[in-house]
Amino acid sequence: FAPLIARWSAEGRSHAGVIFTNPRRFNRANLAYPGNLVTALRRFAGDPPVSGESWVWWLSLDIVQ
């Protein structure tokens, strides 16, 4: 999605926002997954640190703790 976001930005187009996750932080092989991802997404949705259009956010485990 990053190349698409860059292209849209260069074209002056907007989007609703994108949340990226890092597979090392939300490792599918870890027993905590997907619970840690769901928890982080719920906290993000409950108090989003971004607003408006065309934002990009890298979700981290920090939001879980």
Side-chain angles (χ1 to χ4, degrees):
F1 288 96
L4 179 60
I5 292 167
R7 186 173 66 208
W8 278 32
S9 178
E11 294 171 358
R13 296 171 67 182
S14 63
H15 56 83
V18 176
I19 298 174
F20 284 112
T21 62
N22 184 316
R24 285 182 243 153
R25 291 185 175 158
F26 297 99
N27 185 342
R28 292 181 182 191
N30 189 315
L31 291 177
Y33 184 88
N36 60 354
L37 176 61
V38 171
T39 299
L41 287 170
R42 282 185 177 155
R43 291 206 177 148
F44 178 92
D47 188 18
V50 291
S51 64
E53 295 181 335
S54 301
W55 51 264
V56 175
W57 187 262
W58 279 91
L59 197 63
S60 77
L61 290 171
D62 297 341
I63 203 164
V64 175
Q65 299 170 1

mmCIF file of all heavy atoms in Angstrom, residues 2 6 9 16-17 23 27 29 31 38 47 51 60 64:
data_model
loop_
_atom_site.group_PDB
_atom_site.id
_atom_site.type_symbol
_atom_site.label_atom_id
_atom_site.label_comp_id
_atom_site.label_asym_id
_atom_site.label_seq_id
_atom_site.Cartn_x
_atom_site.Cartn_y
_atom_site.Cartn_z
ATOM 1 N N ALA A 2 2.055 1.207 0.496
ATOM 2 C CA ALA A 2 2.893 2.410 0.551
ATOM 3 C C ALA A 2 3.093 3.041 -0.827
ATOM 4 O O ALA A 2 2.965 4.271 -0.954
ATOM 5 C CB ALA A 2 4.227 2.100 1.214
ATOM 6 N N ALA A 6 1.805 6.846 -1.875
ATOM 7 C CA ALA A 6 2.725 7.845 -2.446
ATOM 8 C C ALA A 6 2.207 8.354 -3.784
ATOM 9 O O ALA A 6 2.252 9.560 -4.057
ATOM 10 C CB ALA A 6 4.115 7.244 -2.599
ATOM 11 N N SER A 9 -0.799 10.619 -3.208
ATOM 12 C CA SER A 9 -0.351 11.897 -2.665
ATOM 13 C C SER A 9 0.217 12.781 -3.773
ATOM 14 O O SER A 9 -0.083 13.972 -3.833
ATOM 15 C CB SER A 9 0.694 11.657 -1.577
ATOM 16 O OG SER A 9 1.164 12.878 -1.077
ATOM 17 N N ALA A 16 -8.924 7.610 3.199
ATOM 18 C CA ALA A 16 -9.508 7.643 4.540
ATOM 19 C C ALA A 16 -8.491 7.432 5.646
ATOM 20 O O ALA A 16 -8.760 7.713 6.803
ATOM 21 C CB ALA A 16 -10.604 6.589 4.658
ATOM 22 N N GLY A 17 -7.317 6.953 5.315
ATOM 23 C CA GLY A 17 -6.287 6.657 6.304
ATOM 24 C C GLY A 17 -5.870 5.205 6.208
ATOM 25 O O GLY A 17 -6.640 4.355 5.776
ATOM 26 N N PRO A 23 5.247 -7.028 11.046
ATOM 27 C CA PRO A 23 5.125 -8.446 11.391
ATOM 28 C C PRO A 23 6.019 -8.880 12.547
ATOM 29 O O PRO A 23 5.761 -9.890 13.181
ATOM 30 C CB PRO A 23 5.496 -9.167 10.099
ATOM 31 C CG PRO A 23 6.229 -8.179 9.275
ATOM 32 C CD PRO A 23 5.745 -6.816 9.697
ATOM 33 N N ASN A 27 3.573 -10.693 15.463
ATOM 34 C CA ASN A 27 4.045 -11.931 14.861
ATOM 35 C C ASN A 27 2.953 -12.998 14.904
ATOM 36 O O ASN A 27 2.483 -13.377 15.974
ATOM 37 C CB ASN A 27 5.295 -12.410 15.605
ATOM 38 C CG ASN A 27 5.925 -13.617 14.980
ATOM 39 O OD1 ASN A 27 5.327 -14.338 14.195
ATOM 40 N ND2 ASN A 27 7.181 -13.847 15.328
ATOM 41 N N ALA A 29 3.186 -16.055 14.528
ATOM 42 C CA ALA A 29 3.649 -17.280 15.185
ATOM 43 C C ALA A 29 3.609 -17.162 16.707
ATOM 44 O O ALA A 29 3.753 -18.158 17.409
ATOM 45 C CB ALA A 29 5.069 -17.612 14.723
ATOM 46 N N LEU A 31 1.969 -16.685 20.369
ATOM 47 C CA LEU A 31 0.693 -17.066 20.984
ATOM 48 C C LEU A 31 -0.181 -15.860 21.322
ATOM 49 O O LEU A 31 -1.397 -15.986 21.441
ATOM 50 C CB LEU A 31 0.937 -17.900 22.241
ATOM 51 C CG LEU A 31 1.510 -19.298 21.998
ATOM 52 C CD1 LEU A 31 1.781 -19.991 23.332
ATOM 53 C CD2 LEU A 31 0.560 -20.133 21.150
ATOM 54 N N VAL A 38 -5.737 -7.185 18.011
ATOM 55 C CA VAL A 38 -7.110 -6.742 18.261
ATOM 56 C C VAL A 38 -7.131 -5.685 19.365
ATOM 57 O O VAL A 38 -7.801 -4.659 19.247
ATOM 58 C CB VAL A 38 -8.014 -7.939 18.617
ATOM 59 C CG1 VAL A 38 -9.381 -7.476 19.100
ATOM 60 C CG2 VAL A 38 -8.155 -8.871 17.423
ATOM 61 N N ASP A 47 -9.408 5.925 20.830
ATOM 62 C CA ASP A 47 -8.760 7.228 21.021
ATOM 63 C C ASP A 47 -7.720 7.421 19.919
ATOM 64 O O ASP A 47 -6.522 7.344 20.169
ATOM 65 C CB ASP A 47 -8.101 7.303 22.393
ATOM 66 C CG ASP A 47 -7.581 8.689 22.726
ATOM 67 O OD1 ASP A 47 -8.017 9.666 22.081
ATOM 68 O OD2 ASP A 47 -6.732 8.796 23.619
ATOM 69 N N SER A 51 -6.255 12.172 12.790
ATOM 70 C CA SER A 51 -7.597 12.507 12.321
ATOM 71 C C SER A 51 -7.499 13.099 10.923
ATOM 72 O O SER A 51 -6.414 13.355 10.417
ATOM 73 C CB SER A 51 -8.274 13.497 13.272
ATOM 74 O OG SER A 51 -7.565 14.717 13.289
ATOM 75 N N SER A 60 1.687 0.041 16.960
ATOM 76 C CA SER A 60 2.743 -0.591 17.763
ATOM 77 C C SER A 60 2.127 -1.242 18.986
ATOM 78 O O SER A 60 0.986 -0.991 19.343
ATOM 79 C CB SER A 60 3.796 0.427 18.169
ATOM 80 O OG SER A 60 3.324 1.231 19.222
ATOM 81 N N VAL A 64 -0.921 -1.085 23.284
ATOM 82 C CA VAL A 64 -1.543 -2.183 24.021
ATOM 83 C C VAL A 64 -1.283 -2.045 25.507
ATOM 84 O O VAL A 64 -2.109 -2.366 26.331
ATOM 85 C CB VAL A 64 -1.015 -3.555 23.503
ATOM 86 C CG1 VAL A 64 -1.554 -4.692 24.349
ATOM 87 C CG2 VAL A 64 -1.383 -3.744 22.046
#
